[in-house]
Amino acid sequence: MGNAMSSSLAPECTEAKKEYDDCFNNWYSEKFLKGKSLHNECEDLWYDYKACVDLALAKQGILPMLEEAREDAPFDNGGVPEDKEKK
């Protein structure tokens, strides 16, 4: 049985996730940790994987709910809705 982290939330995106994970793990251990590179060379693979997951979430009707939740508690505000900030 495979590791749960090796498969994607959306089965059709598992291959894209594997490609990104393999690339990132190699870059992180072989370049970043050794001070050879600060630029994540796997960024394009990340965006491909993210696009696949976003499409799968949209097909399942989940993406609109996720976007609404992000508006209610945006990450750029520490997860606190602007109208609920302590002043």
Side-chain angles (χ1 to χ4, degrees):
M1 181 183 290
N3 180 341
M5 294 301 293
S6 65
S7 59
S8 175
L9 163 73
E12 62 268 36
C13 302
T14 297
E15 186 59 34
K17 179 184 184 310
K18 182 182 179 333
E19 288 178 27
Y20 170 72
D21 287 348
D22 290 347
C23 180
F24 179 84
N25 290 333
N26 183 57
W27 167 79
Y28 187 77
S29 63
E30 296 300 319
K31 295 184 179 178
F32 179 78
L33 290 178
K34 295 178 180 180
K36 295 178 181 177
S37 173
L38 294 177
H39 172 71
N40 181 353
E41 300 165 3
C42 308
E43 189 174 346
D44 289 342
L45 292 173
W46 165 253
Y47 287 117
D48 291 345
Y49 173 56
K50 182 181 180 316
C52 183
V53 170
D54 286 347
L55 181 61
L57 292 175
K59 285 180 183 177
Q60 295 174 21
I62 297 171
L63 192 57
M65 292 183 289
L66 183 58
E67 290 171 350
E68 183 179 328
R70 287 178 178 150
E71 288 176 13
D72 289 344
F75 290 110
D76 60 352
N77 195 31
V80 179
E82 289 181 15
D83 62 339
K84 301 212 190 251
E85 281 184 20
K86 293 180 183 177
K87 299 195 185 219

